[in-house]
């Protein structure tokens, strides 16, 4: 292995420990109870949660991935490079309603960008108690910013070791949040130098195990035998997986020889590069202690405890009885795995609330009848229990009682459970929980912000599929009495091609759901095949839902949801899906109108721009215009080249704002400047006359402009500037500078404004660049940085000589606009005009 590869392996090896340490420091700095870090991934525009501290990852799966264009604080911080402070739930709802709808609990949060050198690596976030005033959180934010700066510097150093080192494409590493003070629990550690084969154990671990190092062989087999009395082979497998670079994402529960539950955390060490890695581990005693255990064992109520990762650390006999599981099958396992009937959206939503809120949470759960308490209770039958959850700094204490036995009447309002009790996303009294409301609310909010059919489809894929466990999505739109495929994901490649463009008389479920206006639900592929004999199937098993997309009585298309497994659809699910289909249809109808109106707007915009630039044998020009992509309003940027006596006038301008009014003002200004230029007025007269015209028109807008009158024979250029960005000049030797032209105020403000004229010399093969601010403004950065970046790009541009002997600037114009052209979001339109001069006598061949 060469030195570069060794360094890259070391960097990959140390990344999890580096991130975990930074998150722990951030949680302490911001006085939070949980935190995490998002890193860029190998997928452009996608951030992934790399580390989550103090919260169970499974309960927060919807937030594992974050697209940078989503209206969430993490996305904004990464995209804009600015910190976000949300003091409480009210501030969160005001600024980020989708986040508030998804986590409607009273907590505050901080988000800080992680930047090293000029690279944005991700975002550090901390959840903390609500604050009455944002000013009291500012010191915490400052301390957390210092942690983020240190992490950014460390990641920048790692990033030098190889491409793709500082990216995260896996599930998040879930770790415990740091303790507020000295750890009350006993902790011991060890190191396995796997390349050498020796295991070193510290004294604290021997004390925790209740033994001595005598007779310890110092091998991983001997370590596994000492740590795990029940099944050392499983632990040995975990050690070897970690040595191969695949450490477990959560602590492993092990039971030692004294019968006590311990949690074992494993990670790789960067001390020795290459595979196998050196393995480090710590063993933690999570329990409350023997005395507390014995006291809680005597309570008549069921009592059990969870750590903040959701692992059951204690359960008294009564809790084991009510949960329907032996204590040996509960301890050390996540609650939703140890007790599958608690793995329901409404129940888990309450647990999320307990983890994020300081207040106790009380709700009702239904335990199934029969000998298999692991099954999910059906609509009828089962015993209702009251579950109360009390949050502590490092754990959750849970109390479980049968309905009718309530120790404190203030804790819950008991009632008699009936056969009409709630389904998946309702509490026992029939009241919808936030889990039931979450996805419809989030989907509705997100759909209001989607303006194109593609954006609507992406929202449905992102919000609707995960809510119902779907894996496949297809959206068809109606056009000329045929259904055309607009979006698909999850289906086998090419499977949907035969159904693209089907007529409305075809006997297909996607067609009949639209023509009948009724949703169709099939709980298995067998049901679907029986209803439509001979229909092509994309899988052997799985359920399907076909939803009509109808907006205000008008058919829009149909939506297909696919599931990998057979499943039932409850009445509530059918109702919610049907209602959501209406929201999707309205959004798609709005997107269709947007597309039509946007096409008309773009046509108007193109009509106002010059289709042909005035030419001169000694001058070569290249112009580029890129419209903004946010919203459908036309912009007010323009460029032009106009005959001015025996020379040429080079013009660029930018009308403030967007919309038809800005475009109309731009058209008037362009005509005025052309008229002045054709009469060969001096640059200051052109600017002054145009300024007075704009004030007389009184459109309520102002404009910036730069006007250059060029003599092609001598190369002398006379320039005037009205509040416009400074031009760039690339000399024949490649040296490029930002010109310092004195100028006046923007047009349309002061009728007495003066516009000084500056003389320049444009040498043959030099390039003059005029541009609008959309090309150099970037969110979260100073405009001077954008100008400097543009200058550097122009300096390294290859201005080659064309076939006619003169330099060609077309390639340079493409290079200067390449980054903007590839951007999915351009908040402003962009105009660019490049001009170069050929030497006299160097005419066309």
């Amino acid at each position: 292995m060469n030195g570069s590869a060794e360094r890259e392996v070391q960097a990959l090896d140390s990344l999890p420990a580096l991130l975990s340490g930074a998150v722990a420091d951030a949680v302490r700095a911001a006085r939070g109870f949980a935190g995490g870090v998002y890193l860029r991934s190998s997928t452009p525009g996608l951030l992934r949660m790399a580390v989550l501290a103090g919260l169970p990852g499974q309960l927060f799966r919807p937030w594992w991935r974050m697209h940078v264009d989503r209206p969430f604080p993490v996305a904004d911080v990464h995209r804009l490079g600015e910190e976000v402070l949300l003091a409480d739930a009210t501030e969160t709802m005001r600024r980020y309603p989708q986040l508030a709808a998804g986590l409607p609990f009273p907590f505050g949060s901080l988000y800080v960008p992680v930047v090293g050198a000029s690279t944005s690596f991700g975002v550090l976030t901390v959840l903390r108690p609500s604050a009455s005033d944002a000013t009291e959180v500012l010191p915490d934010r400052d301390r957390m910013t210092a942690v983020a700066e240190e992490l950014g510097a460390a990641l920048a150093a790692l990033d030098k070791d190889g491409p793709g080192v500082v990216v995260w494409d896996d599930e998040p590493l879930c770790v415990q949040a740091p303790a507020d003070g000295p750890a009350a629990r006993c902790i011991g550690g060890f190191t396995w130098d796997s390349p050498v084969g020796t295991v070193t154990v510290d004294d604290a671990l021997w004390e925790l195990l209740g033994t001595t190092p005598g007779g310890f062989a110092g091998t991983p087999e001997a370590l596994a035998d000492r740590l795990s009395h029940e099944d050392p082979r499983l632990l040995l497998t975990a050690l070897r997986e970690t040595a191969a670079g695949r450490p477990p994402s959560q602590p492993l529960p092990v039971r030692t020889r004294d019968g006590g539950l311990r949690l074992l955390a494993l990670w790789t060490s960067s001390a020795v590069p290459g595979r196998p890695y050196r393995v480090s581990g710590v063993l933690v005693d999570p329990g409350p202690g023997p005395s507390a255990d014995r006291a809680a064992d005597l309570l008549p109520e069921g009592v059990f405890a969870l750590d903040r990762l959701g692992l059951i650390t204690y359960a008294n006999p009564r809790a084991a009885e009510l949960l329907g599981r032996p204590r040996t099958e509960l301890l050390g396992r996540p609650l939703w795995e140890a007790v599958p009937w608690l793995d329901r959206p409404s129940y888990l939503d309450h647990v999320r609330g307990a983890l994020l809120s300081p207040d106790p949470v009380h709700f009702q759960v239904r335990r199934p009848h029969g000998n298999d308490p692991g099954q999910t209770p059906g609509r009828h039958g089962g015993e209702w229990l009251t579950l109360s959850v009390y949050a502590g700094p490092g754990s959750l204490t849970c109390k479980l009682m049968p309905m009718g036995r309530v120790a404190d009447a203030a804790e819950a309002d008991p009632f008699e459970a009936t056969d009409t009790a709630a389904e998946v996303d309702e509490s026992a009294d029939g009241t919808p929980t936030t889990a039931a409301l979450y996805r419809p609310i989030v989907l509705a909010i997100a759909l209001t912000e989607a303006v194109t059919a593609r954006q609507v489809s992406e929202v449905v894929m992102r919000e609707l599929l995960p809510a119902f466990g779907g894996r496949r999505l297809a959206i068809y739109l109606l056009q000329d009495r045929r259904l055309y495929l607009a979006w698909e994901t999850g289906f086998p490649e090419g499977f949907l091609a035969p159904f693209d463009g089907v007529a409305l008389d075809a006997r297909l479920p996607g067609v009949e759901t639209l023509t009948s206006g009724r949703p169709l639900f099939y709980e298995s592929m067998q049901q679907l095949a029986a209803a439509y004999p001979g229909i092509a199937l994309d899988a052997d098993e799985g359920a399907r839902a076909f939803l009509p997309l109808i907006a205000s009585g008008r058919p829009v298309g149909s939506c297909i949801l696919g599931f990998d497994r057979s499943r039932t659809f409850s009445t509530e699910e059918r109702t919610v899906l049907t209602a959501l289909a209406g929201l999707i249809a309205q959004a798609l109808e709005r997107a269709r109108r947007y597309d039509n109106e946007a096409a008309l707007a773009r046509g108007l915009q193109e009509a106002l721009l010059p289709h042909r630039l005035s030419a001169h044998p000694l001058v070569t020009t290249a112009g580029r215009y890129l419209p903004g992509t946010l919203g459908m309003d036309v912009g007010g940027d323009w460029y032009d080249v106009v005959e001015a006596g025996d020379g040429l006038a080079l013009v660029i301008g930018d009308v403030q704002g967007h919309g038809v009014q800005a475009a109309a003002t731009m058209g008037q200004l362009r005509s005025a400047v052309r008229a002045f230029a054709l009469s060969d007025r001096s640059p200051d007269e052109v600017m002054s006359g145009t300024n007075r015209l704009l004030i007389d028109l009184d459109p309520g807008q102002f404009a910036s402009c730069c006007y250059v009158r060029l003599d092609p024979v001598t190369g002398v250029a006379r320039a005037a500037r009205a509040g416009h960005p400074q031009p760039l000049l690339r000399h024949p030797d490649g040296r490029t500078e930002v010109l310092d032209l004195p100028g006046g105020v923007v047009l349309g403000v002061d009728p007495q404004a003066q516009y000084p004229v500056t003389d320049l010399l444009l040498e043959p093969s030099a390039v003059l660049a005029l541009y609008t601010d959309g090309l150099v403004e970037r969110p979260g950065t100073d405009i001077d940085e954008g100008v400097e970046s543009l200058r550097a790009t122009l300096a390294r541009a290859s201005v080659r000589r064309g076939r006619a002997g003169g330099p060609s600037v077309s390639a340079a114009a493409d290079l200067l606009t390449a980054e903007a052209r590839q951007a999915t979001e351009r908040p402003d339109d962009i105009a660019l005009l490049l001009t170069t001069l050929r030497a006299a006598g160097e005419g066309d061949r």
Side-chain angles (χ1 to χ4, degrees):
M1 181 180 296
N2 58 40
S4 176
E6 288 182 357
R7 288 192 301 273
E8 183 172 345
V9 169
Q10 283 183 305
L12 288 169
D13 191 13
S14 60
L15 184 59
L18 175 63
L19 296 175
S20 300
V23 171
D25 291 342
V27 171
R28 293 190 191 95
R31 296 181 294 170
F33 55 79
V37 61
Y38 285 84
L39 282 190
R40 60 186 184 176
S41 70
S42 57
T43 302
L46 179 67
L47 300 176
R48 285 183 177 270
M49 182 181 287
V51 173
L52 179 62
L55 294 172
Q58 187 66 26
L59 294 193
F60 294 85
R61 181 180 287 272
W63 293 271
W64 285 8
R65 296 155 52 96
M66 184 65 62
H67 291 270
V68 297
D69 59 348
R70 296 191 69 186
F72 280 78
V74 168
D76 282 355
V77 169
H78 182 71
R79 190 175 65 253
L80 304 178
E82 300 175 352
E83 302 162 350
V84 168
L85 187 162
L86 303 176
D88 55 18
T90 301
E91 179 71 3
T92 304
M93 175 59 78
R94 184 182 69 82
R95 297 181 59 183
Y96 296 97
Q98 287 195 43
L99 175 63
L103 295 172
F105 311 113
F107 67 93
S109 52
L110 286 167
Y111 308 84
V112 177
V114 178
V115 180
S118 59
T119 302
S120 180
F121 292 109
V123 177
L124 197 60
T125 176
V126 167
L127 308 185
R128 63 186 312 282
S130 297
S132 58
D133 188 348
T135 57
E136 70 181 68
V137 189
L138 295 180
D140 301 336
R141 182 203 61 186
D142 294 341
R143 290 191 296 270
M144 181 174 165
T145 299
V147 174
E149 291 174 351
E150 291 181 5
L151 177 60
L155 293 179
L158 289 181
D159 202 44
K160 296 178 181 178
D161 293 326
V165 169
V166 186
V167 296
W168 196 273
D169 291 312
D170 300 322
E171 294 185 356
L173 178 65
C174 298
V175 299
Q176 294 285 356
D180 292 334
R185 299 177 298 178
C186 186
I187 299 176
F190 69 88
T191 300
W192 174 28
D193 192 350
S194 57
V196 179
T198 58
V199 175
T200 304
V201 179
D202 63 22
D203 293 337
L205 182 57
W206 294 124
E207 182 179 351
L208 181 59
L209 294 175
T211 183
T212 62
F216 177 60
T219 64
E221 292 81 5
L223 178 68
D225 184 64
R226 291 290 189 99
L227 293 182
S228 179
H229 177 65
E230 291 182 334
D231 197 342
R233 292 174 301 176
L234 292 179
L235 179 53
L236 184 60
T237 299
L239 289 169
R240 289 170 174 166
E241 287 286 311
T242 303
R246 297 183 295 274
S249 60
Q250 295 199 95
L252 303 173
V254 296
R255 192 168 295 281
T256 55
R257 293 183 182 276
D258 62 358
L261 172 69
R262 308 290 186 264
L263 297 179
L264 177 63
L266 299 173
W267 67 91
T268 56
S269 168
S270 61
V272 178
R275 299 172 189 265
Y277 297 115
R278 173 179 289 185
V279 176
S280 296
V282 293
L283 193 69
V284 181
D285 179 3
S291 298
D293 283 359
R294 288 192 294 270
D297 283 351
L298 301 177
L299 294 176
E301 298 91 1
V303 177
F304 62 95
L306 310 174
D307 70 7
R308 295 196 68 88
L309 296 186
L311 299 178
I312 302 174
T313 59
Y314 168 76
N316 72 355
R318 181 57 171 156
E321 177 185 347
L322 292 175
L323 293 174
R325 282 283 186 266
R327 285 209 280 183
T328 56
E329 296 181 13
L330 293 173
L331 299 180
R333 297 180 62 190
L335 175 65
W336 40 92
E337 291 182 8
V339 190
W341 54 267
L342 286 177
D343 188 9
R344 302 174 68 184
S346 59
Y347 302 164
L348 298 184
D349 184 65
H350 285 298
V351 176
R352 267 192 294 267
L355 286 163
L356 299 177
S357 169
D359 301 324
V361 174
H362 311 283
F363 57 102
Q364 287 73 42
V365 298
R366 184 191 293 174
R367 186 184 67 178
H369 279 322
N371 297 325
D372 183 12
Q375 65 179 315
T376 300
R379 182 172 181 82
H380 303 289
E383 178 186 4
W384 283 101
L385 308 171
T386 297
L387 179 59
S388 301
V389 184
Y390 304 84
S395 64
L396 302 179
T397 301
C398 307
K399 182 166 63 177
L400 192 63
M401 293 175 295
M403 293 296 296
R405 284 197 68 245
V406 182
D408 183 352
E411 292 181 357
D413 183 14
F415 55 87
E416 183 178 355
T418 67
D419 288 342
T420 59
E423 279 296 318
V424 172
D425 284 329
E426 292 183 354
S427 63
D429 60 359
T431 303
T433 68
T434 52
L437 300 175
Y438 164 50
R439 289 297 178 176
I441 293 174
V442 171
L443 181 63
I445 294 173
L447 287 175
T448 62
E449 300 173 348
V451 294
T452 67
R454 180 180 180 85
Q455 290 174 344
V456 171
S457 301
E458 288 176 340
V459 167
V460 175
M461 179 187 69
R462 197 168 56 220
E463 304 295 349
L464 186 61
L465 281 184
F468 294 90
R471 294 292 183 268
R472 293 171 169 84
L473 170 70
I475 293 179
Y476 287 84
L477 296 181
L478 180 64
Q479 183 177 352
D480 300 330
R481 296 189 59 77
R482 290 182 177 272
L483 285 174
Y484 292 92
L485 183 63
W487 180 275
E488 68 166 304
T489 183
F491 286 92
E493 184 176 358
F495 172 77
L496 296 177
F499 304 104
D500 192 14
V502 296
L504 292 185
D505 58 357
R507 190 173 185 277
L508 294 169
V511 173
E512 294 189 358
T513 189
L514 180 62
T515 56
S516 68
R518 294 182 297 104
L520 304 175
F521 297 94
Y522 298 96
E523 298 179 355
S524 66
M525 299 304 284
Q526 290 74 20
Q527 281 190 5
L528 178 59
Y532 294 89
I535 189 173
L537 303 178
D538 61 298
D540 295 330
E541 62 174 316
R544 294 291 181 269
F546 298 86
L547 308 176
L549 301 180
I550 300 175
S552 303
R554 294 187 302 275
V556 175
S558 59
C559 176
I560 304 173
L561 300 180
F563 304 83
D564 289 342
R565 299 178 181 178
S566 300
R567 57 160 294 171
T568 59
F569 294 92
S570 68
T571 302
E572 287 76 9
E573 285 181 312
R574 294 172 186 242
T575 302
V576 170
L577 283 171
T578 303
L580 293 180
L583 292 177
I584 296 168
Q586 292 175 5
L588 287 170
E589 182 69 8
R590 186 176 65 249
R592 179 179 293 178
R593 291 196 303 269
Y594 168 88
D595 290 338
N596 293 335
E597 294 171 5
L600 292 174
R602 298 304 181 210
L604 171 63
Q605 195 171 40
E606 292 177 3
L608 293 173
L609 290 170
H611 294 280
R612 184 182 64 84
L613 300 178
S614 298
H616 190 281
L618 297 179
V619 179
T620 301
T621 58
R624 297 290 185 271
Y625 176 80
L626 301 178
T629 59
L630 300 183
M632 67 179 184
D633 289 339
V634 294
D637 290 16
W638 91 95
Y639 64 87
D640 209 348
V641 179
V642 189
E643 294 181 6
D646 56 357
L648 290 178
L650 313 173
V651 189
I652 197 158
D654 182 3
V655 177
Q656 167 254 344
H658 297 84
V660 175
Q661 181 60 52
T665 302
M666 179 265 282
Q668 292 170 314
L669 292 183
R670 176 173 173 253
S671 298
V673 172
R674 285 185 68 88
F676 286 128
L678 288 171
S679 61
D680 203 15
R681 301 281 188 92
S682 65
D684 57 325
E685 292 178 320
V686 173
M687 300 299 273
S688 297
T690 306
N691 177 49
R692 288 191 293 270
L693 173 65
L694 182 58
I695 292 175
D696 291 342
L697 292 173
D698 192 22
Q701 293 172 306
F702 57 83
S704 67
C705 186
C706 186
Y707 181 93
V708 180
R709 201 279 188 188
L710 174 65
D711 184 340
V713 176
T714 64
V716 173
R718 309 193 69 216
R721 191 174 62 88
H724 201 80
Q726 294 282 4
L728 302 178
L729 180 61
R730 184 184 191 273
H731 296 276
D733 59 2
R735 180 173 52 89
T736 304
E737 61 178 317
V738 180
L739 297 179
D740 185 14
L741 304 182
V745 298
V746 293
L747 306 175
V749 175
D750 180 8
Q752 306 300 322
Q754 300 295 315
Y755 299 96
V757 177
T758 303
D759 290 340
L760 306 170
L761 179 62
L762 189 63
E763 302 175 82
S765 297
V767 178
L768 180 67
L770 307 179
Y771 54 92
T772 56
D773 56 9
L775 187 59
V776 293
E777 283 187 331
R778 296 184 179 91
T781 62
D782 189 85
I783 190 173
D784 291 339
E785 295 181 21
V787 173
E788 173 57 26
S789 176
L790 185 68
R791 184 204 65 78
T793 303
L794 180 60
R796 64 175 181 269
S798 176
V799 186
R800 53 186 175 81
R801 304 182 72 80
R803 289 179 300 173
S808 169
V809 291
S810 180
D814 290 337
L815 178 63
L816 293 180
T817 57
E819 181 178 351
R821 194 181 303 277
Q822 295 170 4
T824 56
E825 291 187 2
R826 287 192 299 271
D828 198 2
D829 44 349
I830 293 170
L832 171 70
L833 178 62
L834 299 185
T835 304
T836 190
L837 192 65
R838 293 197 298 267
E842 196 178 50
D844 295 341
R845 296 179 183 177

